[in-house]
């Protein structure tokens, strides 16, 4: 059983930076990542990271702007988001998968409740 709790986000100025955190309970041997869902759009992957914190994956829109990382205990992941755009406004979800399948919503085993990120001009 894994529980994921996100924190951070909120209202952010366009062009600014924010950091999301996700604390995981239980076994830490999971690939973990961030997904987002904007109003009227499908849920999509933002970034993923392997359980040992080395291999990373980024959606094209996130490449060069967002950075995913894990802390030293491997029980928390972060998403540093910079150069934020209005298009980044969405509910952001932390997710985990123990099988290392692929970065799609259907492959994830566990989900956090999601947190709002709103980018304003």
């Amino acid at each position: 059983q894994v529980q994921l709790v996100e924190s951070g986000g909120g209202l952010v100025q366009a062009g600014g930076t924010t950091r999301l955190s996700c604390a995981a309970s239980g076994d830490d041997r999971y690939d973990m990542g961030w997904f987002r869902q904007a109003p009227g759009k499908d849920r999509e992957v933002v970034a993923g990271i392997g359980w040992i914190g080395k291999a990373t994956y980024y959606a094209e829109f996130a490449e060069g702007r967002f950075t995913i990382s894990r802390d030293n205990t491997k029980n928390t992941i972060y998403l540093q988001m910079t150069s934020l755009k209005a298009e980044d406004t969405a509910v952001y979800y932390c997710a985990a998968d123990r099988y290392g399948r692929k970065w799609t919503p259907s492959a994830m085993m566990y989900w956090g409740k999601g947190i709002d990120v709103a980018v304003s001009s």
Side-chain angles (χ1 to χ4, degrees):
Q1 188 176 35
V2 174
Q3 291 183 324
L4 305 172
V5 180
E6 304 102 332
S7 61
L11 182 63
V12 188
Q13 183 178 351
T17 297
T18 195
R19 188 179 74 161
L20 309 182
S21 300
C22 176
S25 65
D27 191 352
D28 67 352
R29 201 165 183 170
Y30 290 86
D31 295 339
M32 295 179 65
W34 293 94
F35 293 72
R36 72 184 189 184
Q37 187 165 18
K41 293 185 176 293
D42 293 333
R43 190 170 299 186
E44 62 182 348
V45 65
V46 178
I49 189 164
W51 71 273
I52 61 172
K54 292 184 178 179
T56 58
Y57 171 87
Y58 294 95
E60 185 173 344
F61 66 79
E63 186 72 45
R65 294 195 298 132
F66 299 173
T67 302
I68 189 169
S69 61
R70 301 183 80 127
D71 73 1
N72 291 334
T73 65
K74 304 296 189 294
N75 64 354
T76 301
I77 66 166
Y78 306 92
L79 183 68
Q80 182 84 1
M81 301 191 290
T82 189
S83 301
L84 285 163
K85 307 172 182 179
E87 293 84 354
D88 296 318
T89 296
V91 178
Y92 283 72
Y93 298 89
C94 181
D97 174 36
R98 71 182 307 156
Y99 299 110
R101 289 171 284 192
K102 56 184 178 180
W103 294 111
T104 61
S106 62
M108 300 295 106
M109 296 178 63
Y110 304 100
W111 293 91
K113 293 185 180 296
I115 52 173
D116 292 329
V117 175
V119 182
S120 65
S121 300

